[in-house]
């Protein structure tokens, strides 16, 4: 795959275009995750990093809607992080997450109010390994479900 990506100058530097090209337009979750794995491994192989010297890695997204006041939802989510870099009340939280021996990853939580419910979108970015990304997806799904259960009880 690395040679095929590198030889196609239209996609060699564009993650989204490359993953769409790899899956041939199949946007199913399994196909996109497989294509992302190929792309992340390609970036590792060629030594591509971002401006800060870290690779882009894997990104996962977990969502949940909670019927509770925004203040309580935000406070509960702030309690999940030990290294918060920014909080904008009622809008978002940014944090640095330390992975097990593999370095720092970025987390951004966004809030959207709809009536008496709060929509949460949690993006966990720059995860270096596929198994860590799979674990993070399961972890955040479980944590958001637990927060929802606690706040709606």
């Amino acid at each position: 795959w690395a040679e095929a990506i590198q030889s196609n100058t239209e996609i060699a530097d564009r993650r989204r275009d490359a993953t769409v090209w790899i899956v041939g337009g199949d946007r199913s979750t399994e196909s996109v995750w497989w294509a992302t794995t190929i792309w992340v491994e390609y970036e590792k192989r060629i030594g591509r990093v971002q401006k800060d010297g870290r690779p882009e890695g894997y990104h996962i997204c977990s969502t949940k809607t909670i019927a509770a006041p925004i203040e309580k939802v935000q406070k509960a989510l702030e309690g999940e992080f030990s290294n918060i870099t920014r909080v904008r009340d009622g809008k978002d939280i940014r944090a640095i997450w330390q992975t097990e021996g593999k370095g720092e990853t970025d987390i951004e939580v966004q809030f959207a109010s709809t009536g008496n419910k709060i929509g949460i979108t949690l993006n966990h970015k720059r995860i270096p390994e596929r198994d860590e990304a799979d674990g993070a997806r399961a972890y955040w799904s479980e944590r958001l479900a637990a927060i929802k259960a606690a706040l709606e009880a």
Side-chain angles (χ1 to χ4, degrees):
W1 279 106
E3 290 82 15
I5 293 169
Q6 230 163 3
S7 67
N8 187 335
T9 58
E10 291 181 16
I11 65 166
D13 291 326
R14 294 191 277 293
R15 182 183 188 124
R16 184 178 304 273
D17 293 343
T19 55
V20 169
W21 177 77
I22 290 166
V23 299
D26 177 4
R27 301 297 290 167
S28 67
T29 302
E30 296 80 18
S31 294
V32 172
W33 196 233
W34 175 73
T36 300
T37 300
I38 290 171
W39 181 259
V40 171
E41 293 304 317
Y42 166 72
E43 285 184 326
K44 285 181 193 176
R45 181 176 180 173
I46 66 170
R48 178 173 290 150
V49 294
Q50 301 299 307
K51 289 178 184 178
D52 64 1
R54 296 186 300 153
E56 187 171 353
Y58 294 91
H59 300 187
I60 62 101
C61 178
S62 293
T63 62
K64 190 64 70 183
T65 301
I66 300 176
I70 183 65
E71 298 81 14
K72 288 185 177 185
V73 173
Q74 182 173 323
K75 184 175 179 179
L77 279 157
E78 285 177 12
E80 295 292 316
F81 311 114
S82 60
N83 189 359
I84 294 175
T85 59
R86 179 178 89 180
V87 173
R88 293 189 305 174
D89 289 335
K91 293 182 180 181
D92 63 30
I93 301 169
R94 287 189 183 170
I96 302 296
W97 187 268
Q98 184 69 37
T99 63
E100 291 184 25
K102 303 241 169 94
E104 295 178 340
T105 59
D106 302 333
I107 294 180
E108 184 172 305
V109 181
Q110 297 174 330
F111 304 106
S113 295
T114 54
N116 65 342
K117 296 183 179 182
I118 305 301
I120 300 166
T121 302
L122 184 146
N123 290 295
H124 194 154
K125 305 174 184 177
R126 304 187 77 179
I127 303 168
E129 302 294 332
R130 167 85 189 252
D131 61 335
E132 282 186 278
D134 289 336
R137 183 183 313 276
Y139 175 81
W140 288 117
S141 179
E142 290 171 13
R143 289 303 309 137
L144 292 180
I147 290 169
K148 177 181 176 85
L151 293 178
E152 291 182 353

